[in-house]
Amino acid sequence: MRVLIVDHSRGIRERLSIRLREAGLEVVAEAGNGAEAIAFVIAAAIDAIVMDVLLPDRHGLDLLPNLREIAPRAVIMILTNAPEYASHCLQHGADIVLDKSRDFDAVAGVLLGRARRA
Amino acid sequence: MDEDADTTTERALRTTAARLERQLETAQQITHIGSFEWDMTTNRVTWSDELYRIYGLVPRSIEVTLDVFLGRVHPDDRGRVQAAVQGALERGGRFAYRERVVRPDGAVRELDTIGEVVMGEGGAPVGLIGTCRDVTEERRREETIRLYAEIVDRVSIGLSLWRCDTVGEPTSLRLVAYNRATEAATGVSLGGLVGRTLPAIFPSMMATELPGLMSEVAAGAAVRELPQYRMGAGTYAVKLFVMPDHAVGLALEDITERARAQRVQEGEQRALEMLASGAPLAGILAAIVALIEEAAPAGTIGSILLVDATGTRVMHGAAPGLPDAYNRAIDGVTIGPKAGSCGTAVYRREPVFVDDIATDPLWDDYRALAEQYGLRSCWSWPILATDGTVLGTFAMYHHVPCSANATVRALIARAAHVAAIAIERRQLDDRLAALSERIEAIREDERTGIAREIHDELGQALTALKMDIAWVLRRIDAGSIVAPKLDEMSRATDEVIGAVRRISAELRPGILDDLGLRAAIEWQADEFTKRTGVACTVRAEVGDLRLERGLATTVFRIFQEALTNVARHASATKVEVSLALERGNLRLEVADDGVGVPAAGPRSGALGLLGMRERARRAGGDCIVTRGVGGGTRVIVTVPLRFPSERVASGS
């Protein structure tokens, strides 16, 4: 499963990347903002996008419909410290919303579960 | 016997003489007239008993001579009396003088003396005979009467006496007497009108309550007073008092000027109270114009113009008495050296009195306009701020050419002064409000920055820390003694992350900026329910309003404050929130089912409520806190909508 990580913080991206690889997922790219995320999704075949909703250049809610349009089959998971946006994210095209600080350990499992179902 | 007969005759004569003397004596005592006789040959003066008494002496107790007599005359009169006697003796015939005599106890009596020179057989004077009348009491009475008459005549209160021919019939009141002040107060010349009826003399009075009261008092009713009686253009303090024989006394004091000054003062007081209570400037200026129109002579139309922000034009302020079309036409007149009365007054920074618009060159450019509305004179006074800048003008218009007297000038100056206080104060308020708004905006910007910063930076760093703890945990044996410690660290980190999110949201929820007011209110309602257990439901009849940032903040902060109050004081079990658009206003209502505010409204000093209202007012709206229909508290906020110009979005 080819995963794109989108998060403003490099430290988070690295740690998450390590965690997902440990779980056997293939992290193909890391993006620090919305524009990079769009570029990667266009350039490479992505199965899952793990992204924060708070990004430096665009709001995740604005980005979601674009990503959904470009990669209609990708699993889009919002992993954020701003869970108050959860319902809005789901309305805007996200598949799953997880709390970044509390649920990050569950990310790999949830994605793998999705992959198996698919 | 001859002797006997003589004796009989003599006795009869003596008896008669004695009787006459007694009668004379009695007459003298009653009339206070004494008589004297001076025999020059013996220089003996004979006084009647009454004359002794007039001099304060026991009858016949002393021998009187000319010198004794003169010695009793008041020193100031002595020379004159002596000269009068001397003159009489030289001329012969009658003489008269008035003299004062001094009694032994020092009392002074005033006497009227009339005498006659007694001529001897040789044609030379041999004595004087005469009477002295004690006129002291009479003179005193006359003097008193004269003084009263003087008082009545000189007093500034009009006094008149009216008699009622037919009891209870005001039209039958007839003028009996009056003083000069009555004429001055009423402006009616009363010479020759004594005996005429009230309706004939004061026809304008008949429409008032006064004649009825006068006839009541004439019929014996108690004293009546009218502290502010208006007749014609005048105001009077009236007192009615009972006089004998169905008469009534009318005291009229002209208090026109005093009453006018009082009305002006009361009007000013009202205007200042309006200012203090936060009434709109237009209303205060209209009140000032109204009070001056009332105090000024009839036919005066007041107008206030305000200098605009650029200082180049005058704008409409208040002129309820001028035609709207005229007010519109002069709204925005350019200030200059020939710009009618007001534009020129601002330009010159001094009063401009145009007595005749038809001929005054200052009105060359505006004459046709003024004539169209029949305005013929305009006096304008600059309204000056304390620092000397011109804030506007106060003007008086008339439909006839006329010039301003000192009283009216003083009135205009006073109106301009009160207007200056109101305008300056409001400008200060506006500046303060703008400053307050600016500070509030800066504060929100800072809060936003700090909220973002701690949420992102701290939140991310703590999350990374937590991930690292998890990483370590995955690499140690489950039975390691470090494991429980690491679990504890992880939980502690969760707590810190929770605190960071909470503090950040309290500073400023990102959702308000990212998703708008409706989403922020819905989120805050959810948070409230989570935190307090009180169900808080939102019914929003608006879409994701992208309001101007300041306005969204205002409504959101009021909403937060309202919820804080519910949590603190209401003991509510549910809160219903509604957000709706209403005639260009955004309306937010927060209703709870708690104990509610008192029916009379919340305590005015409640700071939270004060703050909510202040915020709403700054945004041009209002916030009302009332008791709900079925109990509980209702907070209703209405603010006029302002959308950011660059992104107008709506619809759900």
Short mmCIF file of all heavy atoms in Angstrom, two decimals, chain B residues 141-189:
data_model
loop_
_atom_site.label_atom_id
_atom_site.label_comp_id
_atom_site.label_asym_id
_atom_site.label_seq_id
_atom_site.Cartn_x
_atom_site.Cartn_y
_atom_site.Cartn_z
N ARG B 141 -50.31 109.91 60.00
CA ARG B 141 -51.21 109.10 59.18
C ARG B 141 -51.04 109.43 57.70
O ARG B 141 -50.94 108.56 56.85
CB ARG B 141 -52.67 109.35 59.59
CG ARG B 141 -53.16 108.44 60.70
CD ARG B 141 -54.68 108.45 60.79
NE ARG B 141 -55.22 109.79 61.00
CZ ARG B 141 -55.30 110.39 62.19
NH1 ARG B 141 -54.88 109.77 63.28
NH2 ARG B 141 -55.82 111.59 62.29
N GLU B 142 -50.95 110.72 57.44
CA GLU B 142 -50.79 111.14 56.05
C GLU B 142 -49.50 110.58 55.47
O GLU B 142 -49.45 110.08 54.34
CB GLU B 142 -50.72 112.67 55.96
CG GLU B 142 -52.06 113.33 55.96
CD GLU B 142 -51.91 114.85 56.08
OE1 GLU B 142 -50.75 115.34 56.06
OE2 GLU B 142 -52.94 115.52 56.20
N GLU B 143 -48.45 110.64 56.29
CA GLU B 143 -47.14 110.17 55.85
C GLU B 143 -47.20 108.66 55.54
O GLU B 143 -46.69 108.19 54.52
CB GLU B 143 -46.10 110.45 56.94
CG GLU B 143 -44.70 110.01 56.61
CD GLU B 143 -44.08 110.80 55.46
OE1 GLU B 143 -44.69 111.79 55.00
OE2 GLU B 143 -43.01 110.41 55.02
N THR B 144 -47.88 107.96 56.46
CA THR B 144 -48.01 106.52 56.27
C THR B 144 -48.75 106.23 54.98
O THR B 144 -48.33 105.42 54.16
CB THR B 144 -48.77 105.91 57.46
OG1 THR B 144 -48.11 106.31 58.65
CG2 THR B 144 -48.78 104.39 57.37
N ILE B 145 -49.85 106.95 54.77
CA ILE B 145 -50.65 106.74 53.56
C ILE B 145 -49.82 107.06 52.32
O ILE B 145 -49.81 106.32 51.33
CB ILE B 145 -51.93 107.62 53.60
CG1 ILE B 145 -52.88 107.06 54.66
CG2 ILE B 145 -52.61 107.65 52.24
CD1 ILE B 145 -54.01 108.00 55.02
N ARG B 146 -49.04 108.16 52.43
CA ARG B 146 -48.23 108.57 51.29
C ARG B 146 -47.19 107.47 50.97
O ARG B 146 -46.96 107.13 49.82
CB ARG B 146 -47.51 109.89 51.62
CG ARG B 146 -46.95 110.61 50.41
CD ARG B 146 -46.18 111.85 50.84
NE ARG B 146 -45.08 111.55 51.76
CZ ARG B 146 -43.93 111.03 51.37
NH1 ARG B 146 -43.73 110.73 50.12
NH2 ARG B 146 -42.98 110.77 52.26
N LEU B 147 -46.60 106.89 52.05
CA LEU B 147 -45.59 105.86 51.86
C LEU B 147 -46.19 104.61 51.21
O LEU B 147 -45.63 104.05 50.28
CB LEU B 147 -44.94 105.49 53.19
CG LEU B 147 -43.90 106.49 53.69
CD1 LEU B 147 -43.41 106.09 55.07
CD2 LEU B 147 -42.73 106.58 52.72
N TYR B 148 -47.40 104.26 51.70
CA TYR B 148 -48.04 103.08 51.11
C TYR B 148 -48.32 103.32 49.64
O TYR B 148 -48.11 102.46 48.79
CB TYR B 148 -49.34 102.74 51.85
CG TYR B 148 -49.10 101.95 53.13
CD1 TYR B 148 -49.60 102.36 54.37
CD2 TYR B 148 -48.36 100.77 53.07
CE1 TYR B 148 -49.37 101.64 55.52
CE2 TYR B 148 -48.13 100.04 54.24
CZ TYR B 148 -48.63 100.48 55.46
OH TYR B 148 -48.40 99.75 56.57
N ALA B 149 -48.82 104.52 49.36
CA ALA B 149 -49.13 104.85 47.97
C ALA B 149 -47.86 104.76 47.12
O ALA B 149 -47.85 104.24 46.00
CB ALA B 149 -49.73 106.25 47.90
N GLU B 150 -46.77 105.26 47.74
CA GLU B 150 -45.48 105.25 47.04
C GLU B 150 -45.05 103.82 46.75
O GLU B 150 -44.62 103.49 45.65
CB GLU B 150 -44.44 105.93 47.93
CG GLU B 150 -43.14 106.17 47.25
CD GLU B 150 -43.00 107.65 46.89
OE1 GLU B 150 -44.01 108.31 46.63
OE2 GLU B 150 -41.87 108.10 46.89
N ILE B 151 -45.20 102.98 47.78
CA ILE B 151 -44.81 101.57 47.62
C ILE B 151 -45.62 100.93 46.50
O ILE B 151 -45.08 100.32 45.58
CB ILE B 151 -45.02 100.80 48.95
CG1 ILE B 151 -44.00 101.25 49.98
CG2 ILE B 151 -44.91 99.29 48.71
CD1 ILE B 151 -44.27 100.75 51.39
N VAL B 152 -46.92 101.13 46.59
CA VAL B 152 -47.81 100.51 45.59
C VAL B 152 -47.45 101.00 44.20
O VAL B 152 -47.47 100.26 43.23
CB VAL B 152 -49.28 100.81 45.93
CG1 VAL B 152 -50.18 100.43 44.78
CG2 VAL B 152 -49.68 100.07 47.20
N ASP B 153 -47.11 102.27 44.12
CA ASP B 153 -46.82 102.84 42.83
C ASP B 153 -45.45 102.44 42.29
O ASP B 153 -45.24 102.36 41.10
CB ASP B 153 -46.92 104.37 42.91
CG ASP B 153 -47.46 104.91 41.60
OD1 ASP B 153 -48.32 104.24 41.02
OD2 ASP B 153 -46.99 105.98 41.17
N ARG B 154 -44.52 102.21 43.19
CA ARG B 154 -43.17 101.92 42.73
C ARG B 154 -42.85 100.44 42.64
O ARG B 154 -41.85 100.08 42.02
CB ARG B 154 -42.15 102.58 43.69
CG ARG B 154 -42.12 104.06 43.49
CD ARG B 154 -41.12 104.70 44.41
NE ARG B 154 -41.18 106.14 44.24
CZ ARG B 154 -40.10 106.88 44.01
NH1 ARG B 154 -38.93 106.31 43.96
NH2 ARG B 154 -40.21 108.17 43.85
N VAL B 155 -43.66 99.61 43.27
CA VAL B 155 -43.36 98.19 43.28
C VAL B 155 -43.45 97.66 41.85
O VAL B 155 -44.22 98.17 41.03
CB VAL B 155 -44.33 97.44 44.22
CG1 VAL B 155 -45.71 97.33 43.60
CG2 VAL B 155 -43.80 96.07 44.56
N SER B 156 -42.59 96.68 41.52
CA SER B 156 -42.58 96.18 40.14
C SER B 156 -43.66 95.13 39.91
O SER B 156 -43.82 94.62 38.82
CB SER B 156 -41.21 95.58 39.82
OG SER B 156 -40.98 94.47 40.67
N ILE B 157 -44.38 94.78 40.96
CA ILE B 157 -45.49 93.84 40.81
C ILE B 157 -46.76 94.62 40.51
O ILE B 157 -47.06 95.60 41.19
CB ILE B 157 -45.66 93.01 42.12
CG1 ILE B 157 -44.40 92.22 42.38
CG2 ILE B 157 -46.89 92.13 42.04
CD1 ILE B 157 -44.37 91.55 43.73
N GLY B 158 -47.45 94.20 39.47
CA GLY B 158 -48.70 94.87 39.12
C GLY B 158 -49.77 94.54 40.15
O GLY B 158 -50.01 93.38 40.46
N LEU B 159 -50.38 95.57 40.73
CA LEU B 159 -51.44 95.35 41.73
C LEU B 159 -52.69 96.04 41.23
O LEU B 159 -52.64 97.21 40.83
CB LEU B 159 -51.03 95.95 43.08
CG LEU B 159 -49.80 95.32 43.75
CD1 LEU B 159 -49.36 96.17 44.94
CD2 LEU B 159 -50.12 93.91 44.21
N SER B 160 -53.78 95.34 41.22
CA SER B 160 -55.02 95.98 40.83
C SER B 160 -56.17 95.40 41.66
O SER B 160 -56.07 94.29 42.18
CB SER B 160 -55.30 95.78 39.34
OG SER B 160 -55.23 94.42 39.00
N LEU B 161 -57.20 96.19 41.77
CA LEU B 161 -58.33 95.80 42.60
C LEU B 161 -59.56 95.75 41.72
O LEU B 161 -59.81 96.65 40.92
CB LEU B 161 -58.52 96.85 43.71
CG LEU B 161 -59.64 96.58 44.70
CD1 LEU B 161 -59.34 95.33 45.52
CD2 LEU B 161 -59.82 97.78 45.63
N TRP B 162 -60.31 94.64 41.84
CA TRP B 162 -61.48 94.43 40.99
C TRP B 162 -62.67 94.09 41.87
O TRP B 162 -62.54 93.34 42.82
CB TRP B 162 -61.22 93.26 40.03
CG TRP B 162 -60.02 93.49 39.16
CD1 TRP B 162 -58.72 93.33 39.51
CD2 TRP B 162 -60.01 93.94 37.81
NE1 TRP B 162 -57.90 93.65 38.47
CE2 TRP B 162 -58.67 94.02 37.40
CE3 TRP B 162 -61.02 94.27 36.90
CZ2 TRP B 162 -58.30 94.44 36.13
CZ3 TRP B 162 -60.65 94.67 35.63
CH2 TRP B 162 -59.31 94.76 35.25
N ARG B 163 -63.80 94.64 41.52
CA ARG B 163 -65.00 94.34 42.30
C ARG B 163 -65.99 93.59 41.42
O ARG B 163 -66.15 93.89 40.24
CB ARG B 163 -65.65 95.62 42.83
CG ARG B 163 -66.92 95.36 43.65
CD ARG B 163 -67.22 96.48 44.61
NE ARG B 163 -66.22 96.58 45.66
CZ ARG B 163 -65.51 97.68 45.92
NH1 ARG B 163 -65.70 98.77 45.21
NH2 ARG B 163 -64.62 97.68 46.89
N CYS B 164 -66.60 92.60 42.03
CA CYS B 164 -67.52 91.74 41.28
C CYS B 164 -68.95 92.24 41.50
O CYS B 164 -69.46 92.19 42.61
CB CYS B 164 -67.37 90.30 41.80
SG CYS B 164 -67.63 89.05 40.57
N ASP B 165 -69.56 92.73 40.44
CA ASP B 165 -70.94 93.24 40.57
C ASP B 165 -71.90 92.10 40.85
O ASP B 165 -72.77 92.18 41.70
CB ASP B 165 -71.38 93.95 39.27
CG ASP B 165 -70.61 95.25 39.09
OD1 ASP B 165 -69.96 95.69 40.07
OD2 ASP B 165 -70.65 95.81 37.98
N THR B 166 -71.76 91.05 40.08
CA THR B 166 -72.61 89.88 40.27
C THR B 166 -71.72 88.77 40.81
O THR B 166 -70.79 88.34 40.12
CB THR B 166 -73.22 89.43 38.93
OG1 THR B 166 -73.74 90.58 38.27
CG2 THR B 166 -74.30 88.38 39.13
N VAL B 167 -72.00 88.35 42.04
CA VAL B 167 -71.12 87.38 42.67
C VAL B 167 -71.02 86.12 41.82
O VAL B 167 -72.04 85.60 41.37
CB VAL B 167 -71.62 87.05 44.10
CG1 VAL B 167 -70.81 85.92 44.70
CG2 VAL B 167 -71.53 88.29 44.98
N GLY B 168 -69.82 85.67 41.59
CA GLY B 168 -69.61 84.43 40.84
C GLY B 168 -69.60 84.64 39.33
O GLY B 168 -69.47 83.68 38.58
N GLU B 169 -69.72 85.89 38.88
CA GLU B 169 -69.75 86.12 37.44
C GLU B 169 -68.48 86.88 37.01
O GLU B 169 -68.37 88.08 37.25
CB GLU B 169 -71.02 86.93 37.08
CG GLU B 169 -71.15 87.25 35.61
CD GLU B 169 -70.88 86.05 34.72
OE1 GLU B 169 -71.59 85.04 34.84
OE2 GLU B 169 -69.93 86.12 33.90
N PRO B 170 -67.52 86.18 36.42
CA PRO B 170 -66.24 86.81 36.10
C PRO B 170 -66.38 88.03 35.19
O PRO B 170 -65.61 88.98 35.33
CB PRO B 170 -65.46 85.71 35.40
CG PRO B 170 -66.14 84.43 35.76
CD PRO B 170 -67.56 84.77 36.03
N THR B 171 -67.35 87.99 34.27
CA THR B 171 -67.45 89.12 33.33
C THR B 171 -67.93 90.40 34.02
O THR B 171 -67.86 91.47 33.45
CB THR B 171 -68.42 88.79 32.18
OG1 THR B 171 -69.67 88.40 32.76
CG2 THR B 171 -67.89 87.67 31.32
N SER B 172 -68.42 90.25 35.27
CA SER B 172 -68.90 91.45 35.96
C SER B 172 -67.83 92.09 36.83
O SER B 172 -68.08 93.01 37.58
CB SER B 172 -70.13 91.10 36.82
OG SER B 172 -69.71 90.39 37.98
N LEU B 173 -66.59 91.57 36.74
CA LEU B 173 -65.49 92.17 37.51
C LEU B 173 -65.16 93.54 36.93
O LEU B 173 -64.98 93.67 35.71
CB LEU B 173 -64.25 91.25 37.45
CG LEU B 173 -64.30 89.99 38.31
CD1 LEU B 173 -63.30 88.96 37.80
CD2 LEU B 173 -64.02 90.32 39.77
N ARG B 174 -65.09 94.54 37.80
CA ARG B 174 -64.78 95.90 37.33
C ARG B 174 -63.53 96.41 38.01
O ARG B 174 -63.30 96.15 39.18
CB ARG B 174 -65.93 96.85 37.65
CG ARG B 174 -67.11 96.68 36.75
CD ARG B 174 -68.23 97.62 37.11
NE ARG B 174 -69.44 97.23 36.41
CZ ARG B 174 -69.67 97.51 35.13
NH1 ARG B 174 -68.79 98.23 34.44
NH2 ARG B 174 -70.77 97.10 34.54
N LEU B 175 -62.76 97.17 37.25
CA LEU B 175 -61.51 97.71 37.78
C LEU B 175 -61.81 98.83 38.76
O LEU B 175 -62.55 99.77 38.45
CB LEU B 175 -60.64 98.24 36.62
CG LEU B 175 -59.29 98.84 37.03
CD1 LEU B 175 -58.41 97.79 37.69
CD2 LEU B 175 -58.58 99.43 35.82
N VAL B 176 -61.23 98.71 39.97
CA VAL B 176 -61.44 99.73 41.00
C VAL B 176 -60.19 100.59 41.13
O VAL B 176 -60.27 101.81 41.21
CB VAL B 176 -61.78 99.07 42.36
CG1 VAL B 176 -61.93 100.12 43.45
CG2 VAL B 176 -63.04 98.22 42.24
N ALA B 177 -59.04 99.96 41.18
CA ALA B 177 -57.79 100.70 41.31
C ALA B 177 -56.66 99.86 40.74
O ALA B 177 -56.80 98.65 40.60
CB ALA B 177 -57.52 101.01 42.79
N TYR B 178 -55.55 100.51 40.42
CA TYR B 178 -54.41 99.79 39.85
C TYR B 178 -53.14 100.59 40.09
O TYR B 178 -53.21 101.78 40.42
CB TYR B 178 -54.61 99.59 38.34
CG TYR B 178 -54.65 100.89 37.58
CD1 TYR B 178 -53.50 101.43 37.04
CD2 TYR B 178 -55.85 101.60 37.45
CE1 TYR B 178 -53.52 102.64 36.38
CE2 TYR B 178 -55.89 102.80 36.79
CZ TYR B 178 -54.72 103.34 36.25
OH TYR B 178 -54.76 104.53 35.61
N ASN B 179 -52.02 99.97 39.96
CA ASN B 179 -50.76 100.72 40.04
C ASN B 179 -50.08 100.72 38.67
O ASN B 179 -50.52 100.04 37.73
CB ASN B 179 -49.84 100.16 41.13
CG ASN B 179 -49.33 98.77 40.78
OD1 ASN B 179 -49.80 98.16 39.83
ND2 ASN B 179 -48.37 98.29 41.55
N ARG B 180 -49.00 101.50 38.59
CA ARG B 180 -48.31 101.65 37.31
C ARG B 180 -47.80 100.32 36.77
O ARG B 180 -47.81 100.06 35.58
CB ARG B 180 -47.14 102.63 37.46
CG ARG B 180 -47.54 104.07 37.25
CD ARG B 180 -46.32 104.94 37.25
NE ARG B 180 -45.62 104.90 38.54
CZ ARG B 180 -44.51 105.57 38.80
NH1 ARG B 180 -43.95 106.30 37.87
NH2 ARG B 180 -43.93 105.49 39.99
N ALA B 181 -47.31 99.47 37.73
CA ALA B 181 -46.70 98.21 37.30
C ALA B 181 -47.72 97.32 36.58
O ALA B 181 -47.34 96.52 35.72
CB ALA B 181 -46.11 97.48 38.50
N THR B 182 -49.01 97.46 36.92
CA THR B 182 -50.02 96.67 36.23
C THR B 182 -50.02 97.03 34.75
O THR B 182 -50.11 96.17 33.88
CB THR B 182 -51.41 96.93 36.84
OG1 THR B 182 -51.38 96.59 38.21
CG2 THR B 182 -52.47 96.09 36.14
N GLU B 183 -49.89 98.32 34.48
CA GLU B 183 -49.85 98.76 33.08
C GLU B 183 -48.60 98.23 32.39
O GLU B 183 -48.64 97.75 31.26
CB GLU B 183 -49.86 100.29 33.02
CG GLU B 183 -51.15 100.90 33.54
CD GLU B 183 -51.15 102.42 33.40
OE1 GLU B 183 -50.25 103.05 33.98
OE2 GLU B 183 -52.02 102.95 32.70
N ALA B 184 -47.48 98.31 33.12
CA ALA B 184 -46.22 97.87 32.53
C ALA B 184 -46.26 96.36 32.24
O ALA B 184 -45.82 95.90 31.19
CB ALA B 184 -45.06 98.19 33.46
N ALA B 185 -46.82 95.59 33.18
CA ALA B 185 -46.82 94.14 33.04
C ALA B 185 -47.74 93.69 31.91
O ALA B 185 -47.41 92.77 31.17
CB ALA B 185 -47.23 93.48 34.36
N THR B 186 -48.89 94.35 31.80
CA THR B 186 -49.87 93.89 30.81
C THR B 186 -49.73 94.62 29.49
O THR B 186 -50.27 94.18 28.47
CB THR B 186 -51.30 94.12 31.33
OG1 THR B 186 -51.46 95.51 31.59
CG2 THR B 186 -51.54 93.33 32.59
N GLY B 187 -49.03 95.74 29.50
CA GLY B 187 -48.89 96.52 28.28
C GLY B 187 -50.18 97.25 27.92
O GLY B 187 -50.35 97.72 26.80
N VAL B 188 -51.10 97.32 28.87
CA VAL B 188 -52.36 98.01 28.61
C VAL B 188 -52.38 99.31 29.43
O VAL B 188 -52.10 99.29 30.62
CB VAL B 188 -53.57 97.13 29.02
CG1 VAL B 188 -54.88 97.90 28.85
CG2 VAL B 188 -53.58 95.85 28.21
N SER B 189 -52.68 100.42 28.76
CA SER B 189 -52.76 101.69 29.46
C SER B 189 -54.13 101.79 30.13
O SER B 189 -55.16 101.71 29.47
CB SER B 189 -52.57 102.83 28.47
OG SER B 189 -52.72 104.05 29.15
#
